[in-house]
Amino acid sequence: MALLEAIQGPRDLDKLSSEQLIELAAEIRAYLIPTVAKTSGHIGPNLGVVELTIALHRAFDSPKDTILWDVGHQSYVHKLLTGRRDFSALRHAGGMSGYPARAESEHDVIENSHASTALAYADGIAKAHQVRGVTDRQVVAVIGDGALTGGMAWEALNNIAAAKDRPVIIVVNDNERSYSPTIGGLAEHLATLRTTQGYERFLEWGRGMLGRTPVIGTPLYEALHGVKKGLKDIVAPQGLFEDLGLKYVGPVDGHDIAGMEAALRRARHYHGPVIVHAITRKGEGYPAARNNVNDQLHQVAVDSDPETGQPLVPAGKSWTSVFSEEMVRVGAERDDVVGITAAMLHPVGLAKFAEAHPDRIFDVGIAEQHAVTSAAGMAFAGLHPVVAIYATFLNRAFDQVLMDAALHSAGVTFIADRAGVTGNDGASHNGVWDMSIFQVVPRLRIAAPRDGAQLRAQLREALDVGDAPTMIRFSKGAVCADIPAVAKAGAMDVLRTTAGTELAPDVLLVSVGAMAGVALDVAERLADQGIGATVVDPRWVKPVDPAMLMLAAEHRLVVTVEDNVRVGGVGCVVAQILRDAGVYTPLRDFGVPAEFLDHANRGEVLERIGLTGQRIAHEVVGLVAGLSNGLGGGPGANGADAAAANAVAANGAATEVSANGAAPKVTTL
């Protein structure tokens, strides 16, 4: 590792010969493979950009020149070349982020790991340079062919291409993949540029794709027809980019450092928008990755075998795998159920469904907004789409969920995978906003299963709803053992009760989804202090079951526990419903603070923000003591009863609370 150890910053690359640069690339791979296998992280994407990153830092002067990484999970090599060599705690508490991080280095700009954003950033930075009269620096955006399927990328291209004298260099890292193989018209076009197999194939793509592009489609198609530009466009269909107003360089072998550097240096002298098309191979230099047909080891788990990339200790059954198995069962029973994924077939658990029903799966690319509205169209035409997207990415399609699905009462089921605190991927991957963001959507119903059995049951319940959208949110990682209910309260499950004990019903603990185990731990700790607690799982957190009113009225304190931000979360909604019904039992909500959470494993993050049984129980004991000292009312002090529940059903809150009148009493199972 002699060469790598000598790299303190990008300019140290200038001292190396061509042969040494090739040796450095080998050292980087030899360092990353065992290191990332130990810590976990994105190995396949980083091995694919080793030479490309070396060439970038040779051709440009970061941080004076701004290098932007779209998504950013392929920035490990960039980190190494900018002086960050300690990967021992990568993605762990106190260690380096798995994405660019401004706190780590002046060489990092975009911390957001959401795809298709870099070109808009580049456009904005270039515009700022122009306004301020800055002419001595470059703006370079590295974006994958997968991220180019996102609408934001094309919106940015439209603006970048409009300014012929505003320099922006777009490096397309074309490895034919996002997580899985890239699909769609753009992917076919890039394949044409790779292979140049003839005019007719490209013209067919142009006729179909560009004809659907507003304003510029028809003129571009006519230009590409070759009538005006002659033989050059027949053998080199890069004319598409040139007719957009973008210079085109390539295709270039992204694993040829010298060739890549030459192409980048050529691009920087155009003084306008230019695309450098680099062909790379995900997982290059690592047979275990290259031979992995699913995602070429896009990401490996903690403590994986460096030889195979597989975990040394098999992980337990995951929430995603439970969903995956149930979708296959449902698909065999109902031919109207279809699956939609946004370039993440395997990560969201739809691969097995795709194998069983290949004609009923749709991968729309990194295009969450399109996924939602397309699903609404499918629902109108008689299907029941299941749209599976990471919770943090589903936020991007809020307007489509609101205006295209909910407004039109579309029977679409949204699966918010990786909801709640996810941990190691950091701030932008935590799915802690979904229950707040989508709480305001009329007609939408939201389920938060506590275990695998509930996930299976609630998926089927959601699919039985044909006149409104539904959402099911579940966590990342291993699913807990099934937690049986001991009683029912309306449609809610009671997980623990004071019935049959000497303890009074002091505290109503409302556990949301995967926090059921924490809530039960709190109840156990309270019992040790002589405080009785009823633990209830609402199952469906939107709308609130009217049985919640009766239970709240029968307790001295209501406590909600959720791994969603407190602002606008389930706790806020329950408090509002109680107030509307005239139930004034004090309520304390525990959840995620409205802040961006640093990377660490899920347990460490929950401990840091106080979402553990010990921390919650300690505070609740103090609250109950305050009530006993006359700081609050006792059970029933607010005078709420079944009439209050009926009042809710009769007022403006009824549509979000109940359609069936008074709340039923708790029924022992």
Side-chain angles (χ1 to χ4, degrees), residues 56 60-61 63-69 109-110 118-130 134-142 160 166-171 264 267-268 272-274:
L56 275 168
F60 299 99
D61 185 16
K64 180 181 177 182
D65 293 332
T66 303
I67 299 177
L68 306 165
W69 297 92
V109 179
I110 305 175
L119 299 189
Y121 256 99
D123 178 59
I125 294 170
K127 285 174 176 173
H129 287 343
Q130 187 176 60
V134 176
T135 59
D136 63 341
R137 57 196 63 192
Q138 301 285 334
V139 181
V140 186
V142 184
I160 290 170
R166 188 185 304 136
V168 174
I169 298 170
I170 301 168
V171 179
L264 292 170
R268 71 176 297 153
V274 56

Side-chain angles (χ1 to χ4, degrees), residues 37-59:
K38 178 66 176 176
T39 63
S40 85
H42 296 86
I43 190 63
N46 283 284
L47 296 179
V49 297
V50 175
E51 291 84 3
L52 170 59
T53 309
I54 292 173
L56 275 168
H57 279 294
R58 290 260 300 179

Side-chain angles (χ1 to χ4, degrees), residues 293-312:
V293 296
N294 289 339
D295 63 2
Q296 293 180 328
L297 290 186
H298 182 83
Q299 186 170 358
V300 293
V302 175
D303 291 327
S304 294
D305 182 349
E307 294 297 322
T308 65
Q310 300 305 308
L312 293 171

Side-chain angles (χ1 to χ4, degrees), residues 38 54 70 152 359 462 644:
K38 178 66 176 176
I54 292 173
D70 200 278
M152 270 192 71
D359 58 334

Side-chain angles (χ1 to χ4, degrees), residues 173-427:
N173 175 29
D174 180 7
N175 60 18
E176 304 180 64
R177 286 180 168 266
S178 46
Y179 280 82
S180 304
T182 308
I183 58 89
L186 173 66
E188 294 179 10
H189 166 56
L190 291 176
T192 301
L193 290 177
R194 284 186 220 108
T195 58
T196 317
Q197 290 180 347
Y199 178 64
E200 290 301 325
R201 176 182 173 187
F202 182 70
L203 195 60
E204 181 179 356
W205 176 87
R207 186 182 299 115
M209 184 71 175
L210 298 180
R212 296 191 298 270
T213 305
V215 182
I216 63 171
T218 301
L220 262 181
Y221 171 70
E222 292 175 352
L224 290 172
H225 204 278
V227 173
K228 296 180 181 179
K229 298 186 72 174
L231 185 62
K232 178 183 177 183
D233 279 342
I234 297 177
V235 298
Q238 65 265 29
L240 166 67
F241 295 109
E242 293 181 350
D243 284 325
L244 277 171
L246 300 165
K247 294 289 185 180
Y248 176 87
V249 177
V252 185
D253 181 356
H255 299 295
D256 175 1
I257 297 175
M260 194 72 239
E261 182 182 344
L264 292 170
R265 291 189 181 279
R266 178 183 172 195
R268 71 176 297 153
H269 293 301
Y270 277 134
H271 303 295
V274 56
I275 281 183
V276 179
H277 183 189
I279 309 299
T280 64
R281 292 175 292 277
K282 194 172 180 178
E284 179 70 4
Y286 189 19
R290 293 298 301 153
N291 296 331
N292 185 292
V293 296
N294 289 339
D295 63 2
Q296 293 180 328
L297 290 186
H298 182 83
Q299 186 170 358
V300 293
V302 175
D303 291 327
S304 294
D305 182 349
E307 294 297 322
T308 65
Q310 300 305 308
L312 293 171
V313 178
K317 181 180 282 293
S318 69
W319 289 90
T320 304
S321 66
V322 173
F323 162 70
S324 175
E325 292 166 359
E326 196 63 21
M327 272 295 291
V328 173
R329 295 189 189 98
V330 168
E333 299 167 14
R334 292 180 50 170
D335 59 9
D336 64 322
V337 173
V338 298
I340 300 178
T341 175
M344 302 179 74
L345 185 69
H346 291 273
V348 298
L350 284 176
K352 290 183 179 179
F353 183 89
E355 292 173 6
H357 309 287
D359 58 334
R360 287 156 54 191
I361 190 74
F362 301 93
D363 186 342
V364 301
I366 302 178
E368 294 86 0
Q369 294 171 316
H370 170 71
V372 173
T373 303
S374 177
M378 292 180 188
F380 171 78
L383 299 178
H384 192 118
V386 177
V387 183
I389 298 174
Y390 283 9
T392 183
F393 300 147
L394 188 58
N395 297 342
R396 309 179 82 178
F398 169 78
D399 184 66
Q400 287 68 34
V401 172
L402 178 69
M403 291 298 174
D404 298 326
L407 178 64
H408 294 86
S409 299
V412 178
T413 294
F414 299 105
I415 301 298
D417 194 342
R418 272 70 163 178
V421 172
T422 56
N424 299 100
D425 276 319

